[in-house]
Each structure stands twice: as C-alpha cells, then as structure tokens.
Amino acid sequence: MTETISPPVRLHRREPLAAFRHGEPIPGRTSVVGTTRAAAALLGAELEELTREELIALVPEPWLFERMVPPGLFTKLLRQGLTVRVLHGPARPGEPAPFPALTRLGTAAPTTFSLPYPVIVRDRSVLYMPHPDPRHPMAGRLAPQAHVVAARSLAVAFDLAWAAACGQPPNTPPPGQVTAEQREILQVLSNGVTDDHAAAQLHMSRRTFARRVAALMESLGATSRFQVGVQAARRGLV
C-alpha cells in the first residue's frame, strides 16, 4: 500500500492589530470613518464654491448630520454674506441644544414636526439628500440631485415651516431685504424678457409669476416695474 503525503500547507502570518501605528490604514479593511470624513469635506467644498445666494437645511438628527457636513460650514457661508437657515430636530437626551452659534444669530430653529430625512437645498435649485435605502453605500452621505421643481417646492415648504417655527408671517423677509426667490425675479426682470418667458425660466405659472412680482413691488415700495428696477439698483440687488 502506497502512502500519499500531502504537500505542506503554507500558513500566512497575520499581523496583530497592535502592529499598525495609530492612524494607519489596516490592510484589507476599509476605513468607514475616513470615507465619511472625505465625503463630508468634498460636500463642504462644493457648497462653499457653488452656493450663490442661499442654503437651507432640514436636519432631523443633528448628531448624525454632523458626520455629513464639515464643522463650521454654515458659519463660513454666513461670513460670505450668504443666507443660511437650518430647521432641526431635538438633541439626544443629556446633550446640549444643536447649532448654538446659528441659533444665537437667528438662522437656526427647532422644527415643530418630524423630518424623515436630512436635506440641503442650494439656491432653490439643487437638492442634497441621502439614499432612502439604509443598505445603500450613499445612505449616510448627502448627494446632489439637480431637480429644480423638487428643490423649489421643498424650499417653499421650508419657508412655511420656518415661519411657523419662528412665529413670523410666511414669506416676509426682514425690513429692507428680499427673499432668494425675489432676487431671482429681479434678475429675470432685469433681462427684459416677457412674463411668459420669465415664468418658464422660474418654473412657475404666469399667474404665480404676476403675484410674485406684485409682492416684490410691495416689498420695495414701488408702484411700477420701472420703480422696482430703480429700487433694486439703489439697494445693490441686481
């Protein structure tokens, strides 16, 4: 009887975790924390570069939202003269109230209703939202969605929720200021286009556009569109 001898099995030596210095990536493993921070940094850079007028955010769980955006982003945008508003849910028990600096500035407020997902709207034209499936790789990150109709609709709903949270009449800007939407209307009016073309550009009906123009005239104390242009120029709005 012939005895069969199997070749020796070569065992690969596994390095203990302690052998790797702190901060070094462990071979064969993906650093989830590093990936999350990198995604937040990229998002922050994009928002800093591309935001022109306004950034609004719906934040259901502030402790999770802090992982999605870099710290100090909203404060940086405020220093650049941009409009920033944040509606947020409550903090976890035993933790301080979220967004203390923004709250002192009057640009953050607690919501009066539950929010399903964290969302950012840039200039009422671009949505940043996570994937709804928690198993998806983008579930914990905010990705841009260029959907103007959805972004504008959400921004209008945000205005109503903000007014309710702050106890203000809806769509009423501070004295001497205009809303981001009114700035858009001013820009379109300065181009000299027809009402039909302007309404199409702003993704609204002609009747809605006419109502928005009337509200803008009232805000600026103007009795004609010509006076709207004069007042806007004097205030540096166009």
Side-chain angles (χ1 to χ4, degrees), residues 57-207:
L58 294 167
V59 185
E61 299 170 316
W63 61 92
L64 294 179
F65 190 77
E66 292 173 355
R67 306 174 191 173
M68 299 180 179
V69 298
L73 170 65
F74 295 147
T75 304
K76 286 181 183 179
L77 296 178
L78 284 171
R79 289 173 180 167
Q80 295 173 15
L82 303 176
T83 299
V84 175
R85 292 180 295 165
V86 178
L87 283 173
H88 61 82
R92 287 184 292 189
E95 293 188 353
F99 305 105
L102 298 181
T103 301
R104 288 193 296 269
L105 294 172
T107 59
T111 59
T112 55
F113 57 91
S114 291
L115 303 171
Y117 298 103
V119 177
I120 288 177
V121 183
R122 172 169 60 82
D123 295 322
R124 298 179 176 249
S125 59
V126 180
L127 286 172
Y128 292 82
M129 55 198 307
H131 197 280
D133 186 349
R135 298 166 297 181
H136 194 276
M138 295 302 294
R141 309 178 199 174
L142 295 175
Q145 308 288 332
H147 198 307
V148 177
V149 174
R152 193 177 299 278
S153 299
L154 185 57
V156 172
F158 182 97
D159 291 339
L160 296 173
W162 178 265
C166 300
Q168 300 173 352
N171 298 323
T172 302
Q177 297 184 22
V178 296
T179 65
E181 182 182 67
Q182 287 175 332
R183 284 180 179 270
E184 290 183 339
I185 292 173
L186 283 171
Q187 187 60 52
V188 172
L189 289 175
S190 67
N191 294 334
V193 298
T194 64
D195 281 12
D196 288 334
H197 188 70
Q201 267 190 273
L202 297 174
H203 303 279
M204 61 179 66
S205 69
R206 190 179 188 280
R207 182 176 297 179

Side-chain angles (χ1 to χ4, degrees), residues 4-94:
T4 303
I5 302 176
S6 300
V9 178
R10 180 173 297 176
L11 298 177
H12 295 279
R13 181 171 175 267
R14 296 181 63 184
E15 295 288 345
L17 297 183
F20 297 98
R21 290 176 296 179
H22 178 69
E24 273 192 352
I26 299 174
R29 296 193 180 186
T30 302
S31 175
V32 177
V33 175
T35 303
T36 302
R37 288 177 179 171
L42 288 173
L43 174 64
E46 178 176 327
L47 292 174
E48 279 192 63
E49 181 179 355
L50 299 181
T51 305
R52 296 291 177 261
E53 297 287 345
E54 178 191 50
L55 197 73
I56 57 180
L58 294 167
V59 185
E61 299 170 316
W63 61 92
L64 294 179
F65 190 77
E66 292 173 355
R67 306 174 191 173
M68 299 180 179
V69 298
L73 170 65
F74 295 147
T75 304
K76 286 181 183 179
L77 296 178
L78 284 171
R79 289 173 180 167
Q80 295 173 15
L82 303 176
T83 299
V84 175
R85 292 180 295 165
V86 178
L87 283 173
H88 61 82
R92 287 184 292 189

